[in-house]
Amino acid sequence: MSADFRTHPTTFLISKLLARHDRSRFEITAISVGPDDGSADRQSIVDAVDHFLDREKASPAAIAEEVAALGIDVFIDLMGHTSGERLAAFADRPAPVQVNYLGYPSTSGAPFMDYVIADPVVLPFSDAAFYTEKIVHLPDCYQPNDPELPVGERPTRADCDLPDEAFVFCAFNSAWKLDPEVFSAYTRILKAVPGSVLWVLENRKNSADTLRREAEARGLDPARLVFAPIVPLKDHFARLPLADLFLDTFPYTAHTTASDMLRMGLPMVTRTGRSFASRVAASIMTQMNLADFITTDVEGFVARAVALANDPAALAEARARLAAARPTSPLFDIDRYARHMERAFETMVARSRAGLPPEAFAVEPLPRG
């Protein structure tokens, strides 16, 4: 169940997974509680599942009643505490197994949610005390990725208002992930790399004016900020290789954006912390042989970014590593991911049918061929 079965990162991540589930063992129902945007992305969900229920106007109680009547074994919430959620539909336990997954990188805090899907990097078992759900580890990264998303025709730097010869730092996380400490780190990096620019996604009204003002307050020429408009996903992918290095945010790191960068061969530097949300980029980067670009504090983050900007050979080597990892990384092996997820569901259901309570477990990894 999700309010984001539309042009939205959740749909980009999950539609191929839904399509690849083994239909001899699984029947998939998608319950949409958000608006129909009429997009091809929404249609990709409709096409990927056995049953698509548009329940935008339905109450949580009505949804729960329908889930129970359908005999759903595993009821999965893709929303958590995000806009459009219907968490209350789970409150009376309409399904024997209820799962918190993908859309909200934390605990629901709800006693009626049984499991949270994670991996050893984003949520170690040692953090179990902070979660009402039991932790389930997938073997690789908890985030699914469609390996076949289309890429448009690559533009030039001039097409994107970027200087041809400058070092281009990319900061394409959503504006709400920026805080004063992160932006101050960005300005320190730019000052340490003369002539460099920061390519920023302009995805909120007035964000450009705000960031120009904040740059000036920190002694940085606002002209060194270049703003990128929102474009269709294939065109967004196509422009990413124009940058030299992606700079992550903290404590809410890049999630879908991180896999987008690495998919397109753009190295990134992240910072990791104590929370699920602060570890997602680290999990993704680990799957793409870029773990040495993970830092643990702001000083390390700044130093790593500056060092890479001043070492073209190291940056070229990182790009080569990404190119080598892309065809074989579990991050983009959606069939392997689907089989692991199916093992997780079967374990959950088997415990439920045996009258056993939910318990934390790790899915045994399939051998890699």
Side-chain angles (χ1 to χ4, degrees):
M1 182 172 73
S2 178
D4 296 327
F5 292 143
R6 52 191 172 92
T7 300
H8 186 276
T10 295
T11 289
F12 303 150
L13 293 176
I14 206 170
S15 61
K16 189 69 72 176
L17 170 64
L18 297 177
R20 294 292 177 88
H21 276 307
D22 180 354
R23 288 316 200 269
S24 71
R25 294 154 57 218
F26 293 89
E27 181 181 9
I28 313 297
T29 298
I31 304 172
S32 175
V33 294
D36 179 357
D37 63 357
S39 66
D41 301 309
R42 182 179 177 89
Q43 188 61 43
S44 73
I45 298 291
V46 175
D47 294 341
V49 299
D50 301 292
H51 313 285
F52 186 91
L53 308 178
D54 186 343
R55 299 295 182 264
E56 181 186 3
K57 306 299 183 184
S59 68
I63 292 168
E65 183 177 349
E66 186 168 17
V67 166
L70 289 170
I72 297 293
D73 294 296
V74 183
F75 189 17
I76 303 162
D77 181 34
L78 294 176
M79 300 296 297
H81 301 287
T82 60
S83 180
E85 55 82 19
R86 303 281 175 90
L87 193 59
F90 294 81
D92 290 333
R93 290 193 160 274
V97 176
Q98 304 194 149
V99 179
N100 169 13
Y101 173 51
L102 194 62
Y104 186 67
S106 187
T107 180
S108 66
F112 46 79
M113 299 304 290
D114 300 310
Y115 296 99
V116 58
I117 302 294
D119 65 51
V121 174
V122 296
L123 184 55
F125 288 133
S126 58
D127 282 358
F130 307 110
Y131 278 68
T132 55
E133 306 91 345
K134 298 300 182 183
I135 300 168
V136 175
H137 280 171
L138 298 183
D140 305 311
C141 180
Y142 86 102
Q143 185 193 80
N145 277 281
D146 182 346
E148 300 167 351
L149 291 172
V151 178
E153 184 177 348
R154 183 176 299 187
T156 65
R157 279 193 168 186
D159 292 332
C160 297
D161 298 323
L162 294 169
D164 281 333
E165 302 303 322
F167 192 96
V168 176
F169 292 104
C170 178
F172 275 8
N173 276 332
S174 296
W176 58 264
K177 292 186 178 182
L178 275 173
D179 67 10
E181 182 186 59
V182 169
F183 194 68
S184 292
Y186 290 174
T187 58
R188 288 173 59 193
I189 292 166
L190 287 167
K191 287 178 182 179
V193 183
S196 62
V197 298
L198 183 67
W199 197 19
V200 185
L201 195 63
E202 189 173 11
N203 57 2
R204 284 202 166 187
K205 185 179 180 181
N206 301 323
S207 63
D209 291 340
T210 299
L211 293 181
R212 288 189 184 103
R213 183 185 67 241
E214 292 298 318
E216 191 166 27
R218 288 163 173 78
L220 182 75
D221 182 356
R224 293 178 69 182
L225 305 182
V226 179
F227 293 91
I230 298 296
V231 297
L233 187 63
K234 65 180 180 63
D235 299 321
H236 177 64
F237 283 159
R239 67 186 175 182
L240 296 182
L242 298 177
D244 294 297
L245 184 66
F246 178 81
L247 301 178
D248 204 1
T249 46
F250 183 86
Y252 203 119
T253 62
H255 293 188
T256 310
T257 300
S259 52
D260 292 347
M261 298 299 149
L262 303 188
R263 173 197 302 270
M264 297 307 301
L266 180 61
M268 62 181 288
V269 177
T270 192
R271 177 181 167 193
T272 189
R274 287 290 311 279
S275 67
F276 189 136
S278 74
R279 297 168 175 160
V280 173
S283 177
I284 292 167
M285 291 166 69
T286 299
Q287 297 301 320
M288 290 290 284
N289 194 23
L290 214 65
D292 52 323
F293 285 28
I294 300 167
T295 66
T296 57
D297 56 44
V298 68
E299 294 304 322
F301 177 82
V302 170
R304 195 75 173 100
V306 171
L308 286 165
N310 289 320
D311 189 345
L315 205 56
E317 188 271 339
R319 283 189 181 269
R321 267 194 276 161
L322 288 177
R326 173 69 175 82
T328 58
S329 171
L331 188 66
F332 296 105
D333 188 342
I334 194 63
D335 291 306
R336 174 181 169 87
Y337 186 101
R339 303 295 84 77
H340 286 154
M341 184 66 91
E342 289 165 359
R343 289 184 173 195
F345 292 151
E346 287 171 333
T347 300
M348 296 172 190
V349 171
R351 289 191 63 85
S352 174
R353 290 178 177 174
L356 298 172
E359 191 52 80
F361 65 91
V363 174
E364 186 71 22
L366 292 165
R368 289 197 57 78

